[in-house]
Structures are given as C-alpha cells and as structure tokens.
Amino acid sequence: MEYLVTMTTHVPDGTPQPAVDDVRAREAARSRELAAAGHLLRLWRPPLRPGEWRSLGLFAAADGGQLEEVLASMPLRVWRTDEVTPLAPHPNDPARTARNAGTEFLTSFTISVPEGTPGQAVADTEAREAQRAKELAGQGHLLRLWGLPGPSRALGLWNAGNPAEMQAILRSLPMDPWMTVETTPLSRHPSDPAMIFP
C-alpha cells in the first residue's frame, strides 16, 4: 500500500548546529536505505514559509503498522510530526515512475456531480476522463493517480513546464466542470529516491 506523508520538523530552540547537521546527515543516509528497500518512493518539498521545515514523502508499506516502523526509524522523527494519508489504487493511474524535465505538482481533486445529471452522461464523462488520463500519461504529464479517503476524492502527481501549463492541463480534463482542485507545486528534495536512483 502507498501513503502520502506530510513531515513537519520543529528543531528545539537552542539545539547546537552540529547536532542538527548530524541528524540531517543520518536522515539522508536512512532515506537512501529506505529507498533501496522500496519503502521510500519519492520525497519533495512543498512551498515553504521562512523558517519552515516540511517535506512530502511517498512511502510504500504492507500496512499502517509497518509504515509507522519505517517512519519511526528515521532520525529526524525525534523532532518531527507526521501526517499520514493512505492512498488507494485509482483506475486511471498510469503507474509512471520516470521523471521528466519541468515542475512536479500534486493535485487533490474532489468531484461533485451536479444533482439530476443523467447516469449515462456521468458514465460518458468518466470514460472520456479515463481516455484523457491515458493521453496525458503518454505525454508525460500525468505521472501517478491515487484514490483518497472519502467519496469522490483523488490525488494526482503531474509534470508540467510551469503553473500556467498545469492549469491548462487540468482544464482539459472532461470532469473539470465537476471538480474542486487544490494544486501544490513541488521542488526537488536532496534525498528524493528519483535523484538517488534515477
């Protein structure tokens, strides 16, 4: 099973810089070990405010218990809080692992079909959405797609040249009129397994 983990680190005031550097070095080494073992799949930095220390990680584990063991084994956990979101398979997931040039984005979707929409119109739109997802995956824009907890929710990992292109891609989705979307631009993390094991 895959999980999205928001990891927020709060270094206690007065912690000597050499101690911080030591924990960060051990965290990078442990990240490489977890990537080699297939538990840490990706690591990103979302937009940060000054002084904020937060990362997003894509992890794989047999269940929540194993994930907790993985997260607890990371040296920064002594200063970190983790928010875990379990991810479910999505029928339109291209399961693409290769990275392209450009910026990666995470998008969370909530779909609200207008009341009274005929069932056949919904089925036709879902079929066109699946076809468009395949096209975008083939073009290298849609990298992964997961179901999120709750009704009609999904999480997407995308690649686009810039935010404007990302918005144009989202507007091209047949379900766009029914979707509420939250988009997060991502930047590279030095311990991202895609950089360690390209």
Side-chain angles (χ1 to χ4, degrees):
M1 187 167 178
E2 293 178 324
Y3 300 85
L4 182 69
V5 182
T6 302
M7 300 173 284
T8 305
T9 302
H10 301 280
V11 178
D13 290 340
T15 303
Q17 190 60 44
V20 174
D21 294 343
D22 175 64
V23 172
R24 288 182 89 155
R26 289 188 294 116
E27 179 82 359
R30 182 63 180 146
S31 294
R32 287 190 293 276
E33 293 169 359
L34 292 172
H39 291 299
L40 177 58
L41 306 178
R42 293 296 310 273
L43 202 53
W44 304 278
R45 286 202 173 117
L48 301 174
R49 292 183 293 275
E52 188 176 26
W53 192 353
R54 190 165 42 101
S55 300
L56 298 174
L58 178 62
F59 289 83
D63 55 31
Q66 184 185 49
L67 176 67
E68 177 55 29
E69 290 175 14
V70 166
L71 295 174
S73 76
M74 300 176 79
L76 274 174
R77 187 71 180 287
V78 297
W79 299 328
R80 198 179 72 209
T81 56
D82 297 328
E83 180 184 323
V84 175
T85 303
L87 303 173
H90 192 286
N92 296 338
D93 177 26
R96 185 183 191 90
T97 56
R99 290 180 62 249
N100 296 319
T103 301
E104 289 180 319
F105 296 85
L106 275 180
T107 57
S108 59
F109 303 91
T110 302
I111 298 172
S112 300
V113 177
E115 196 171 319
T117 304
Q120 188 58 51
V122 174
D124 290 346
T125 303
E126 287 174 343
R128 289 187 297 116
E129 183 84 2
Q131 180 58 40
R132 183 65 179 140
K134 287 179 188 169
E135 292 169 1
L136 291 168
Q139 295 166 5
H141 292 299
L142 177 58
L143 306 178
R144 292 297 312 272
L145 196 59
W146 301 273
L148 285 171
S152 303
R153 296 186 64 227
L155 179 74
L157 175 62
W158 304 82
N159 186 286
N162 54 55
E165 182 182 27
M166 184 69 247
Q167 290 307 309
I169 290 167
L170 295 174
R171 284 193 303 272
S172 78
L173 296 171
M175 289 189 138
D176 177 61
W178 300 342
M179 292 191 309
T180 302
V181 183
E182 183 180 321
T183 303
T184 303
L186 304 170
S187 60
R188 292 180 179 173
H189 191 288
S191 295
D192 180 16
M195 294 179 67
I196 298 168
F197 304 109

Short mmCIF file of all heavy atoms in Angstrom, two decimals, residues 1-8 27 31 34 38-46 54-61 67 70-71 74 80-87 104 106 144 146 148 155 157 184 186-187 189 191-193:
data_model
loop_
_atom_site.label_atom_id
_atom_site.label_comp_id
_atom_site.label_asym_id
_atom_site.label_seq_id
_atom_site.Cartn_x
_atom_site.Cartn_y
_atom_site.Cartn_z
N MET A 1 0.85 -1.18 0.00
CA MET A 1 0.00 0.00 0.00
C MET A 1 0.89 1.24 0.00
O MET A 1 1.98 1.23 0.55
CB MET A 1 -0.89 -0.04 1.24
CG MET A 1 -1.92 1.04 1.28
SD MET A 1 -3.15 0.71 2.55
CE MET A 1 -4.14 2.17 2.33
N GLU A 2 0.39 2.31 -0.62
CA GLU A 2 1.15 3.56 -0.67
C GLU A 2 0.51 4.61 0.23
O GLU A 2 -0.71 4.60 0.43
CB GLU A 2 1.25 4.05 -2.12
CG GLU A 2 2.10 3.14 -2.97
CD GLU A 2 2.19 3.57 -4.42
OE1 GLU A 2 1.18 4.10 -4.96
OE2 GLU A 2 3.26 3.39 -5.01
N TYR A 3 1.37 5.49 0.75
CA TYR A 3 0.93 6.53 1.68
C TYR A 3 1.62 7.84 1.33
O TYR A 3 2.80 7.85 1.00
CB TYR A 3 1.34 6.17 3.12
CG TYR A 3 0.75 4.88 3.64
CD1 TYR A 3 1.38 3.66 3.38
CD2 TYR A 3 -0.41 4.88 4.40
CE1 TYR A 3 0.84 2.47 3.86
CE2 TYR A 3 -0.94 3.70 4.89
CZ TYR A 3 -0.32 2.50 4.62
OH TYR A 3 -0.85 1.33 5.10
N LEU A 4 0.89 8.94 1.44
CA LEU A 4 1.48 10.27 1.36
C LEU A 4 1.67 10.75 2.79
O LEU A 4 0.73 10.73 3.58
CB LEU A 4 0.58 11.23 0.59
CG LEU A 4 1.14 12.64 0.43
CD1 LEU A 4 2.34 12.64 -0.52
CD2 LEU A 4 0.07 13.60 -0.07
N VAL A 5 2.90 11.15 3.12
CA VAL A 5 3.21 11.58 4.49
C VAL A 5 3.72 13.01 4.45
O VAL A 5 4.71 13.31 3.76
CB VAL A 5 4.25 10.65 5.15
CG1 VAL A 5 4.51 11.10 6.58
CG2 VAL A 5 3.78 9.19 5.11
N THR A 6 3.03 13.89 5.17
CA THR A 6 3.49 15.27 5.36
C THR A 6 4.33 15.27 6.62
O THR A 6 3.82 14.97 7.71
CB THR A 6 2.31 16.24 5.48
OG1 THR A 6 1.50 16.14 4.31
CG2 THR A 6 2.80 17.67 5.65
N MET A 7 5.61 15.59 6.48
CA MET A 7 6.56 15.54 7.59
C MET A 7 6.99 16.96 7.95
O MET A 7 7.60 17.65 7.13
CB MET A 7 7.76 14.69 7.19
CG MET A 7 7.38 13.25 6.83
SD MET A 7 8.74 12.27 6.15
CE MET A 7 8.83 12.95 4.49
N THR A 8 6.66 17.38 9.16
CA THR A 8 6.98 18.74 9.63
C THR A 8 7.95 18.63 10.79
O THR A 8 7.67 17.97 11.78
CB THR A 8 5.70 19.47 10.06
OG1 THR A 8 4.77 19.46 8.97
CG2 THR A 8 6.02 20.91 10.44
N GLU A 27 19.66 11.26 8.64
CA GLU A 27 18.36 11.18 7.95
C GLU A 27 18.57 10.90 6.46
O GLU A 27 17.87 10.08 5.87
CB GLU A 27 17.59 12.50 8.13
CG GLU A 27 16.25 12.53 7.45
CD GLU A 27 15.14 11.86 8.25
OE1 GLU A 27 15.40 11.34 9.35
OE2 GLU A 27 14.01 11.87 7.74
N SER A 31 17.29 7.65 4.55
CA SER A 31 16.41 7.79 3.38
C SER A 31 16.91 6.93 2.23
O SER A 31 16.12 6.28 1.54
CB SER A 31 16.33 9.25 2.95
OG SER A 31 15.69 10.02 3.95
N LEU A 34 16.01 3.34 3.05
CA LEU A 34 14.58 3.09 2.87
C LEU A 34 14.20 3.07 1.39
O LEU A 34 13.33 2.29 0.98
CB LEU A 34 13.75 4.14 3.62
CG LEU A 34 13.84 4.06 5.14
CD1 LEU A 34 13.15 5.26 5.78
CD2 LEU A 34 13.25 2.75 5.66
N GLY A 38 12.70 -0.13 -0.90
CA GLY A 38 11.39 0.02 -1.55
C GLY A 38 10.33 0.67 -0.68
O GLY A 38 9.15 0.66 -1.05
N HIS A 39 10.72 1.25 0.46
CA HIS A 39 9.74 1.91 1.33
C HIS A 39 9.58 3.39 1.03
O HIS A 39 8.47 3.91 1.10
CB HIS A 39 10.11 1.72 2.80
CG HIS A 39 9.96 0.33 3.29
ND1 HIS A 39 8.76 -0.34 3.29
CD2 HIS A 39 10.87 -0.55 3.76
CE1 HIS A 39 8.93 -1.56 3.76
NE2 HIS A 39 10.21 -1.72 4.05
N LEU A 40 10.66 4.08 0.71
CA LEU A 40 10.59 5.50 0.36
C LEU A 40 10.64 5.59 -1.16
O LEU A 40 11.66 5.27 -1.78
CB LEU A 40 11.76 6.27 0.99
CG LEU A 40 11.85 7.76 0.65
CD1 LEU A 40 10.58 8.51 1.04
CD2 LEU A 40 13.06 8.39 1.33
N LEU A 41 9.50 6.00 -1.75
CA LEU A 41 9.40 6.04 -3.21
C LEU A 41 9.77 7.40 -3.79
O LEU A 41 10.43 7.49 -4.82
CB LEU A 41 7.98 5.66 -3.65
CG LEU A 41 7.47 4.32 -3.11
CD1 LEU A 41 6.03 4.08 -3.57
CD2 LEU A 41 8.39 3.18 -3.55
N ARG A 42 9.31 8.46 -3.13
CA ARG A 42 9.61 9.83 -3.59
C ARG A 42 9.65 10.75 -2.38
O ARG A 42 9.06 10.46 -1.34
CB ARG A 42 8.54 10.35 -4.57
CG ARG A 42 8.46 9.66 -5.91
CD ARG A 42 9.72 9.80 -6.77
NE ARG A 42 10.19 11.17 -6.90
CZ ARG A 42 9.78 12.04 -7.82
NH1 ARG A 42 8.86 11.69 -8.71
NH2 ARG A 42 10.28 13.25 -7.88
N LEU A 43 10.31 11.90 -2.55
CA LEU A 43 10.41 12.91 -1.50
C LEU A 43 10.43 14.27 -2.17
O LEU A 43 11.20 14.48 -3.13
CB LEU A 43 11.69 12.66 -0.69
CG LEU A 43 11.80 13.19 0.72
CD1 LEU A 43 10.63 12.77 1.59
CD2 LEU A 43 13.11 12.74 1.34
N TRP A 44 9.58 15.19 -1.68
CA TRP A 44 9.50 16.53 -2.27
C TRP A 44 9.48 17.58 -1.17
O TRP A 44 9.19 17.29 -0.02
CB TRP A 44 8.20 16.71 -3.07
CG TRP A 44 7.94 15.75 -4.15
CD1 TRP A 44 8.44 15.78 -5.43
CD2 TRP A 44 7.09 14.60 -4.10
NE1 TRP A 44 7.94 14.73 -6.16
CE2 TRP A 44 7.10 13.99 -5.37
CE3 TRP A 44 6.30 14.03 -3.10
CZ2 TRP A 44 6.37 12.85 -5.67
CZ3 TRP A 44 5.57 12.89 -3.39
CH2 TRP A 44 5.61 12.32 -4.67
N ARG A 45 9.70 18.83 -1.61
CA ARG A 45 9.49 19.98 -0.73
C ARG A 45 8.34 20.79 -1.32
O ARG A 45 8.41 21.23 -2.47
CB ARG A 45 10.75 20.84 -0.67
CG ARG A 45 11.84 20.19 0.15
CD ARG A 45 12.84 21.22 0.66
NE ARG A 45 13.76 20.58 1.58
CZ ARG A 45 15.06 20.49 1.36
NH1 ARG A 45 15.60 20.98 0.28
NH2 ARG A 45 15.83 19.89 2.25
N PRO A 46 7.29 21.04 -0.53
CA PRO A 46 6.23 21.95 -0.99
C PRO A 46 6.69 23.39 -0.77
O PRO A 46 7.75 23.61 -0.17
CB PRO A 46 5.06 21.59 -0.06
CG PRO A 46 5.73 21.14 1.20
CD PRO A 46 7.01 20.46 0.77
N ARG A 54 9.50 21.41 6.13
CA ARG A 54 8.44 20.44 5.84
C ARG A 54 8.77 19.72 4.55
O ARG A 54 9.30 20.31 3.61
CB ARG A 54 7.11 21.18 5.73
CG ARG A 54 5.89 20.33 5.66
CD ARG A 54 4.61 21.14 5.92
NE ARG A 54 4.61 22.42 5.25
CZ ARG A 54 3.96 22.67 4.12
NH1 ARG A 54 3.29 21.73 3.51
NH2 ARG A 54 4.01 23.87 3.59
N SER A 55 8.45 18.43 4.50
CA SER A 55 8.65 17.61 3.31
C SER A 55 7.41 16.76 3.08
O SER A 55 6.66 16.48 4.02
CB SER A 55 9.86 16.68 3.46
OG SER A 55 11.04 17.42 3.68
N LEU A 56 7.21 16.35 1.83
CA LEU A 56 6.16 15.40 1.48
C LEU A 56 6.85 14.13 1.00
O LEU A 56 7.74 14.20 0.16
CB LEU A 56 5.27 15.94 0.36
CG LEU A 56 4.50 17.22 0.67
CD1 LEU A 56 3.78 17.71 -0.59
CD2 LEU A 56 3.50 16.98 1.78
N GLY A 57 6.44 12.99 1.53
CA GLY A 57 7.04 11.72 1.14
C GLY A 57 5.99 10.75 0.63
O GLY A 57 4.88 10.69 1.17
N LEU A 58 6.34 10.00 -0.39
CA LEU A 58 5.52 8.90 -0.88
C LEU A 58 6.18 7.62 -0.40
O LEU A 58 7.33 7.34 -0.76
CB LEU A 58 5.42 8.93 -2.41
CG LEU A 58 4.63 7.80 -3.05
CD1 LEU A 58 3.16 7.83 -2.61
CD2 LEU A 58 4.71 7.91 -4.58
N PHE A 59 5.48 6.89 0.45
CA PHE A 59 6.01 5.68 1.07
C PHE A 59 5.19 4.46 0.66
O PHE A 59 4.01 4.58 0.35
CB PHE A 59 5.97 5.80 2.60
CG PHE A 59 6.97 6.76 3.17
CD1 PHE A 59 6.70 8.12 3.23
CD2 PHE A 59 8.18 6.31 3.68
CE1 PHE A 59 7.62 9.01 3.76
CE2 PHE A 59 9.11 7.19 4.21
CZ PHE A 59 8.83 8.54 4.25
N ALA A 60 5.83 3.30 0.70
CA ALA A 60 5.15 2.02 0.48
C ALA A 60 5.37 1.15 1.72
O ALA A 60 6.49 1.08 2.24
CB ALA A 60 5.70 1.32 -0.76
N ALA A 61 4.30 0.52 2.18
CA ALA A 61 4.38 -0.37 3.33
C ALA A 61 3.22 -1.36 3.25
O ALA A 61 2.20 -1.08 2.60
CB ALA A 61 4.33 0.41 4.64
N LEU A 67 4.31 0.98 8.19
CA LEU A 67 4.65 2.37 7.87
C LEU A 67 5.15 3.09 9.11
O LEU A 67 6.15 3.82 9.06
CB LEU A 67 3.45 3.12 7.28
CG LEU A 67 3.72 4.60 7.01
CD1 LEU A 67 4.75 4.79 5.90
CD2 LEU A 67 2.43 5.33 6.69
N VAL A 70 8.66 2.21 9.77
CA VAL A 70 9.54 2.89 8.81
C VAL A 70 9.76 4.34 9.25
O VAL A 70 10.89 4.82 9.33
CB VAL A 70 8.94 2.82 7.38
CG1 VAL A 70 9.65 3.79 6.45
CG2 VAL A 70 9.02 1.40 6.84
N LEU A 71 8.66 5.04 9.55
CA LEU A 71 8.78 6.45 9.93
C LEU A 71 9.54 6.61 11.24
O LEU A 71 10.34 7.54 11.39
CB LEU A 71 7.39 7.08 10.03
CG LEU A 71 6.59 7.16 8.73
CD1 LEU A 71 5.19 7.67 9.00
CD2 LEU A 71 7.29 8.01 7.68
N MET A 74 13.43 6.79 11.17
CA MET A 74 14.10 7.94 10.57
C MET A 74 14.60 8.88 11.66
O MET A 74 13.84 9.26 12.56
CB MET A 74 13.14 8.65 9.60
CG MET A 74 12.67 7.72 8.48
SD MET A 74 11.44 8.49 7.39
CE MET A 74 12.55 9.49 6.36
N ARG A 80 10.07 15.57 14.64
CA ARG A 80 9.14 15.66 13.52
C ARG A 80 7.76 15.13 13.91
O ARG A 80 7.63 14.19 14.67
CB ARG A 80 9.70 14.81 12.37
CG ARG A 80 9.12 15.13 11.03
CD ARG A 80 9.74 14.29 9.96
NE ARG A 80 9.28 12.90 10.08
CZ ARG A 80 9.99 11.85 9.71
NH1 ARG A 80 11.17 12.00 9.18
NH2 ARG A 80 9.49 10.65 9.84
N THR A 81 6.74 15.76 13.31
CA THR A 81 5.39 15.20 13.36
C THR A 81 5.03 14.78 11.95
O THR A 81 5.41 15.44 10.97
CB THR A 81 4.36 16.22 13.88
OG1 THR A 81 4.41 17.39 13.06
CG2 THR A 81 4.64 16.61 15.33
N ASP A 82 4.30 13.66 11.84
CA ASP A 82 3.94 13.11 10.54
C ASP A 82 2.42 13.05 10.40
O ASP A 82 1.72 12.59 11.31
CB ASP A 82 4.50 11.69 10.37
CG ASP A 82 6.02 11.66 10.41
OD1 ASP A 82 6.64 12.64 9.96
OD2 ASP A 82 6.58 10.65 10.87
N GLU A 83 1.93 13.51 9.27
CA GLU A 83 0.51 13.39 8.93
C GLU A 83 0.41 12.40 7.78
O GLU A 83 0.95 12.66 6.69
CB GLU A 83 -0.04 14.76 8.53
CG GLU A 83 -1.50 14.75 8.16
CD GLU A 83 -1.97 16.10 7.67
OE1 GLU A 83 -1.50 17.13 8.21
OE2 GLU A 83 -2.78 16.13 6.74
N VAL A 84 -0.24 11.27 8.02
CA VAL A 84 -0.28 10.17 7.06
C VAL A 84 -1.63 10.14 6.34
O VAL A 84 -2.68 10.18 6.98
CB VAL A 84 -0.04 8.82 7.76
CG1 VAL A 84 -0.20 7.66 6.80
CG2 VAL A 84 1.33 8.80 8.42
N THR A 85 -1.59 10.06 5.01
CA THR A 85 -2.79 9.89 4.20
C THR A 85 -2.65 8.58 3.42
O THR A 85 -1.77 8.47 2.56
CB THR A 85 -2.97 11.05 3.20
OG1 THR A 85 -3.01 12.28 3.93
CG2 THR A 85 -4.24 10.90 2.39
N PRO A 86 -3.48 7.58 3.72
CA PRO A 86 -3.42 6.34 2.94
C PRO A 86 -3.94 6.59 1.52
O PRO A 86 -4.90 7.33 1.33
CB PRO A 86 -4.33 5.38 3.71
CG PRO A 86 -5.19 6.23 4.56
CD PRO A 86 -4.49 7.54 4.76
N LEU A 87 -3.29 5.98 0.55
CA LEU A 87 -3.65 6.14 -0.86
C LEU A 87 -4.18 4.82 -1.39
O LEU A 87 -3.62 3.77 -1.12
CB LEU A 87 -2.44 6.60 -1.67
CG LEU A 87 -1.78 7.90 -1.19
CD1 LEU A 87 -0.49 8.14 -1.96
CD2 LEU A 87 -2.73 9.07 -1.33
N GLU A 104 7.09 19.30 -10.89
CA GLU A 104 6.07 18.35 -10.48
C GLU A 104 5.05 19.07 -9.60
O GLU A 104 5.38 20.02 -8.89
CB GLU A 104 6.70 17.18 -9.72
CG GLU A 104 7.49 16.27 -10.65
CD GLU A 104 8.11 15.10 -9.91
OE1 GLU A 104 8.62 15.29 -8.78
OE2 GLU A 104 8.08 14.00 -10.47
N LEU A 106 1.42 18.24 -7.10
CA LEU A 106 0.41 17.36 -6.51
C LEU A 106 -0.93 18.07 -6.61
O LEU A 106 -1.01 19.28 -6.33
CB LEU A 106 0.70 17.07 -5.04
CG LEU A 106 1.66 15.94 -4.71
CD1 LEU A 106 1.82 15.81 -3.20
CD2 LEU A 106 1.23 14.62 -5.31
N ARG A 144 1.23 9.81 -11.72
CA ARG A 144 0.55 8.85 -10.84
C ARG A 144 -0.83 9.40 -10.48
O ARG A 144 -1.05 10.61 -10.52
CB ARG A 144 1.34 8.64 -9.53
CG ARG A 144 2.68 7.94 -9.65
CD ARG A 144 2.60 6.50 -10.15
NE ARG A 144 1.61 5.66 -9.48
CZ ARG A 144 1.83 4.96 -8.37
NH1 ARG A 144 3.00 5.01 -7.77
NH2 ARG A 144 0.86 4.22 -7.85
N TRP A 146 -4.03 8.38 -7.47
CA TRP A 146 -4.48 7.53 -6.36
C TRP A 146 -5.85 7.99 -5.90
O TRP A 146 -6.21 9.16 -6.03
CB TRP A 146 -3.55 7.67 -5.16
CG TRP A 146 -2.13 7.32 -5.37
CD1 TRP A 146 -1.57 6.07 -5.26
CD2 TRP A 146 -1.04 8.20 -5.70
NE1 TRP A 146 -0.22 6.14 -5.50
CE2 TRP A 146 0.14 7.44 -5.77
CE3 TRP A 146 -0.97 9.57 -5.93
CZ2 TRP A 146 1.37 7.99 -6.06
CZ3 TRP A 146 0.27 10.12 -6.23
CH2 TRP A 146 1.42 9.34 -6.30
N LEU A 148 -8.19 8.91 -2.71
CA LEU A 148 -8.01 9.43 -1.35
C LEU A 148 -9.19 8.99 -0.48
O LEU A 148 -10.26 8.68 -1.00
CB LEU A 148 -7.97 10.96 -1.37
CG LEU A 148 -6.70 11.61 -1.88
CD1 LEU A 148 -6.89 13.12 -2.05
CD2 LEU A 148 -5.53 11.34 -0.94
N LEU A 155 -5.88 11.93 -5.70
CA LEU A 155 -4.62 12.66 -5.62
C LEU A 155 -3.83 12.35 -6.87
O LEU A 155 -3.69 11.18 -7.25
CB LEU A 155 -3.82 12.21 -4.38
CG LEU A 155 -2.46 12.86 -4.17
CD1 LEU A 155 -2.64 14.30 -3.69
CD2 LEU A 155 -1.65 12.07 -3.16
N LEU A 157 -0.19 13.11 -9.27
CA LEU A 157 1.17 13.62 -9.40
C LEU A 157 1.38 13.93 -10.86
O LEU A 157 1.21 13.05 -11.73
CB LEU A 157 2.20 12.59 -8.91
CG LEU A 157 3.67 12.96 -9.10
CD1 LEU A 157 4.03 14.23 -8.32
CD2 LEU A 157 4.57 11.81 -8.67
N THR A 184 -0.50 21.86 -5.57
CA THR A 184 0.71 22.20 -4.80
C THR A 184 1.93 22.01 -5.69
O THR A 184 2.21 20.88 -6.10
CB THR A 184 0.83 21.28 -3.56
OG1 THR A 184 -0.35 21.40 -2.76
CG2 THR A 184 2.06 21.66 -2.74
N LEU A 186 5.78 21.41 -6.42
CA LEU A 186 6.79 20.69 -5.65
C LEU A 186 8.18 21.05 -6.15
O LEU A 186 8.36 21.31 -7.33
CB LEU A 186 6.58 19.18 -5.79
CG LEU A 186 5.20 18.66 -5.40
CD1 LEU A 186 5.04 17.21 -5.83
CD2 LEU A 186 4.98 18.81 -3.90
N SER A 187 9.14 21.06 -5.25
CA SER A 187 10.53 21.24 -5.66
C SER A 187 11.32 20.01 -5.24
O SER A 187 10.87 19.22 -4.41
CB SER A 187 11.13 22.51 -5.05
OG SER A 187 11.09 22.46 -3.64
N HIS A 189 13.82 17.47 -3.57
CA HIS A 189 14.39 17.24 -2.24
C HIS A 189 15.70 16.52 -2.45
O HIS A 189 15.77 15.57 -3.25
CB HIS A 189 13.42 16.40 -1.40
CG HIS A 189 13.78 16.33 0.04
ND1 HIS A 189 14.86 15.61 0.49
CD2 HIS A 189 13.21 16.90 1.13
CE1 HIS A 189 14.93 15.73 1.79
NE2 HIS A 189 13.95 16.50 2.22
N SER A 191 17.13 14.24 -0.89
CA SER A 191 17.08 12.80 -0.59
C SER A 191 16.01 12.07 -1.39
O SER A 191 15.68 10.94 -1.08
CB SER A 191 16.83 12.60 0.92
OG SER A 191 17.91 13.09 1.66
N ASP A 192 15.45 12.73 -2.41
CA ASP A 192 14.43 12.08 -3.25
C ASP A 192 15.02 10.85 -3.94
O ASP A 192 16.04 10.97 -4.63
CB ASP A 192 13.92 13.06 -4.28
CG ASP A 192 12.86 12.49 -5.21
OD1 ASP A 192 12.29 11.43 -4.88
OD2 ASP A 192 12.59 13.10 -6.25
N PRO A 193 14.40 9.68 -3.76
CA PRO A 193 14.93 8.48 -4.44
C PRO A 193 15.02 8.62 -5.96
O PRO A 193 15.86 7.96 -6.57
CB PRO A 193 13.92 7.39 -4.06
CG PRO A 193 13.37 7.84 -2.75
CD PRO A 193 13.33 9.35 -2.86
#
